[in-house]
Amino acid sequence: MIQRSQFFVAPARLVSRRGFVVRAAAAVAGLAMLGAAPLASAAETAYPSRPIRIVLGFSAGGGTDAIARTLAKHMSSTLGANVLIDNKPGANGNIAAEEVSRSPADGYTLLYNTSSIASSPALYNKRLSYDVSKDLIPVARTASLPIVLVVPAKSSLKSAAELVAYAKAHPGKLNYASAGNGNVTHLASLSFEDAVGIKGTHIPYKGEAPALADLMAGMVDYYFATSAGAIPAIKAGRLKALAVATKQPLDTLPGVPTLDATVAKGLDLSAWSGLMAPAGTPPEVIAKLNSAVAKALADPEVLVFFANQSAQATPSTPGEYGVFLTSEMGSLAKVIKGAGITLD
């Protein structure tokens, strides 16, 4: 390959013998520089040209983290650059969201968000230092983790209809667990109460593991668990599933009906997740990232992994994810405000 220094040396040796060579060399050099400018510019703007960091607002080792890392691995292959997960837990995912919202809009710092981003505006109204709708833009929806209504294995309740009937006959007697105030498992319970017209006593826990432990011990009456948390305990005979909160039955829980088909028509609850970027990220970068996510979600290896996690792939365009986010923020705000929940 000819180096630029070699290119300019030869004409310089001819300067003393032929004056016209100087002018010719200058013209050639100028054309070469003009031709090189677009190439240099293209190289500088090629995306991606360095590692991409996806910030996740929850600890490593959980179900969401495992899904995010699986997608990142397959996105790396498609994009030809390392895609890394950076865990920044705290404040129900808002520490991570705030960091990404303030990051350069160049496609190299992204947010792997959960459904908490749609509930946060209503829960932390006065404390949020970023605006979900203005400071972040959607890239793609990625996955949905179904919610399952479970009771202790020894519970006398055998169906969602029996639970509703008992709660109506004995107001306030049943209590339910959640993985924390404002968590999706809490909001799912509130949505269920609103849909069927009952009122239980809320018992919040610091995470799903202790909530499930007390449920299995019979210390609480029911819980809207994530499928990843509930299914192992159901298969081990320590919990009983009354219904799934998705509109379609789950293959992983054969014979378990949906709430939509039994006591709560139209109720569809899940712990979903997606990918977002700082506002102002170029459309062509968003399109490239969206395509990489879609390809990952269609990969057979990813689909097998999702099935084992009881997760569902939910590919979307950026626009579809934006519409979904707006809808979720509206419906969750209604539930939160109706229940008088605030974390301000």
Side-chain angles (χ1 to χ4, degrees), residues 145-172:
L145 203 59
I147 298 293
V148 184
L149 172 58
V150 288
V151 297
K154 295 181 179 180
S155 173
S156 61
L157 300 172
K158 296 181 177 61
S159 68
E162 285 190 15
L163 187 153
V164 172
Y166 184 90
K168 287 182 176 180
H170 306 86

Side-chain angles (χ1 to χ4, degrees), residues 108 144 169 199 226 289 296 304:
Y108 291 99
S144 177
K199 189 68 176 177
T226 66
L289 288 167
V304 169

Side-chain angles (χ1 to χ4, degrees), residues 111-197:
L111 175 70
Y112 195 87
N113 68 277
T114 68
S115 44
S116 64
I117 203 165
S119 61
S120 287
L123 287 171
Y124 300 89
N125 184 38
K126 298 177 182 177
R127 293 168 55 190
L128 284 187
S129 58
Y130 71 95
D131 188 318
V132 178
S133 302
K134 295 179 180 179
D135 299 329
L136 295 166
I137 55 174
V139 173
R141 193 177 171 200
T142 55
S144 177
L145 203 59
I147 298 293
V148 184
L149 172 58
V150 288
V151 297
K154 295 181 179 180
S155 173
S156 61
L157 300 172
K158 296 181 177 61
S159 68
E162 285 190 15
L163 187 153
V164 172
Y166 184 90
K168 287 182 176 180
H170 306 86
K173 187 171 182 180
L174 291 180
N175 55 42
Y176 64 90
S178 82
N181 280 311
N183 184 271
V184 64
T185 58
H186 182 200
L187 300 181
S189 300
L190 295 176
S191 297
F192 175 70
E193 286 185 339
D194 185 60
V196 300

Side-chain angles (χ1 to χ4, degrees), residues 14-321:
L14 298 175
V15 169
S16 62
R17 292 186 290 174
R18 293 186 177 92
F20 75 91
V21 176
V22 175
R23 292 190 294 273
V28 172
L31 289 172
M33 292 177 69
L34 287 173
L39 294 175
S41 176
E44 289 170 2
T45 57
Y47 176 85
S49 59
R50 62 179 190 270
I52 298 168
R53 183 171 66 104
I54 300 179
V55 186
L56 173 61
F58 300 91
S59 300
T64 298
D65 178 76
I67 289 172
R69 289 179 186 277
T70 297
L71 292 178
K73 172 187 172 184
H74 287 266
M75 288 175 67
S76 294
S77 298
T78 299
L79 295 169
N82 287 333
V83 180
L84 311 170
I85 299 298
D86 186 5
N87 300 88
K88 292 290 181 71
N92 213 18
N94 286 308
I95 290 176
E98 179 182 341
E99 178 182 330
V100 174
S101 72
R102 295 179 177 179
S103 297
D106 55 11
Y108 291 99
T109 303
L110 308 173
L111 175 70
Y112 195 87
N113 68 277
T114 68
S115 44
S116 64
I117 203 165
S119 61
S120 287
L123 287 171
Y124 300 89
N125 184 38
K126 298 177 182 177
R127 293 168 55 190
L128 284 187
S129 58
Y130 71 95
D131 188 318
V132 178
S133 302
K134 295 179 180 179
D135 299 329
L136 295 166
I137 55 174
V139 173
R141 193 177 171 200
T142 55
S144 177
L145 203 59
I147 298 293
V148 184
L149 172 58
V150 288
V151 297
K154 295 181 179 180
S155 173
S156 61
L157 300 172
K158 296 181 177 61
S159 68
E162 285 190 15
L163 187 153
V164 172
Y166 184 90
K168 287 182 176 180
H170 306 86
K173 187 171 182 180
L174 291 180
N175 55 42
Y176 64 90
S178 82
N181 280 311
N183 184 271
V184 64
T185 58
H186 182 200
L187 300 181
S189 300
L190 295 176
S191 297
F192 175 70
E193 286 185 339
D194 185 60
V196 300
I198 64 171
K199 189 68 176 177
T201 301
H202 177 215
I203 310 295
Y205 290 84
K206 293 182 179 180
E208 186 159 72
L212 286 169
D214 271 12
L215 182 70
M216 289 185 285
M219 298 180 69
V220 285
D221 297 307
Y222 65 96
Y223 174 47
F224 279 87
T226 66
S227 57
I231 289 174
I234 294 168
K235 293 189 179 299
R238 304 186 68 185
L239 288 179
K240 181 165 49 178
L242 300 187
V244 296
T246 50
K247 288 193 174 182
Q248 298 297 324
L250 300 181
D251 291 339
T252 47
L253 292 174
V256 178
T258 66
L259 289 173
D260 175 67
T262 53
V263 298
K265 183 66 177 176
L267 199 62
D268 188 5
L269 307 170
S270 62
W272 49 267
S273 57
L275 194 65
M276 302 190 78
T281 300
E284 60 271 21
V285 172
I286 296 295
K288 198 164 190 178
L289 288 167
N290 180 272
S291 178
V293 171
K295 187 173 181 180
L297 291 174
D299 189 284
E301 181 182 333
V302 173
L303 293 177
V304 169
F305 175 81
F306 271 36
N308 291 335
Q309 294 287 317
S310 302
Q312 299 170 338
T314 55
S316 75
T317 65
E320 289 168 344
Y321 188 31

